[in-house]
Amino acid sequence: MTGKRSKVVFISSPYAGNTQANIDFARQACFYAICLGYTPIAPHLIYPGIIPDDDPAWRQVGLEMSCELLGLCDELWVCGPCATAGMQVEVDHAKDLGLWIRRVNCEEVAKGVASLEKVAIDARLKALQS
């Protein structure tokens, strides 16, 4: 591994509603971040598989843990067509932390992945070898 650390970005995107489509989009947003050279963190891809998201008390615990992780990040990316109530909690916390907040729409993610995938993997592999 090299001594150079890539920026860590917190991926905030919708989860509830069409859960499978939202999970797929969050994964794509993470992949887009990777293609751009970032290291993404997306707690909503982890915690719902561990704690019951449909229980309000556990959901609050999950949001609090997400905010703890947000404190380890360099940026917050608000991804998708709209910000949900849970995403707004993350945005407010990012503001409190003084993090840079970037709005990333669905089209940017889709086009970015399509155009960057090959270049990104070559660059990442080259960086790992140096």
Side-chain angles (χ1 to χ4, degrees):
M1 293 191 62
T2 66
K4 187 177 175 186
R5 177 179 86 77
S6 63
K7 283 189 176 182
V8 178
V9 296
F10 188 103
I11 303 296
S12 180
S13 65
Y15 179 78
N18 187 342
T19 307
Q20 190 55 55
N22 290 339
I23 289 170
D24 292 343
F25 176 72
R27 287 177 177 157
Q28 193 175 36
C30 288
F31 189 67
Y32 177 52
I34 292 167
C35 287
L36 291 175
Y38 294 90
T39 299
I41 292 178
H44 59 302
L45 292 180
I46 302 167
Y47 294 143
I50 301 169
I51 60 176
D53 190 62
D54 56 349
D55 180 311
W58 279 112
R59 179 167 168 67
Q60 184 60 36
V61 169
L63 280 171
E64 290 173 13
M65 290 188 304
S66 292
C67 286
E68 287 291 323
L69 288 174
L70 184 56
L72 303 174
C73 296
D74 299 300
E75 300 176 10
L76 169 70
W77 288 12
V78 180
C79 303
C82 62
T84 64
M87 292 168 67
Q88 191 59 52
V89 169
E90 295 163 347
V91 168
D92 292 343
H93 190 61
K95 287 178 182 177
D96 290 345
L97 294 171
L99 294 180
W100 188 70
I101 300 169
R102 177 179 176 188
R103 182 78 174 92
V104 182
N105 64 40
C106 298
E107 184 177 89
E108 179 182 349
V109 170
K111 285 184 177 180
V113 168
S115 65
L116 293 172
E117 184 174 4
K118 175 66 175 129
V119 173
I121 191 66
D122 291 344
R124 283 276 179 153
L125 290 173
K126 184 177 179 181
L128 288 172
Q129 294 170 354
S130 52

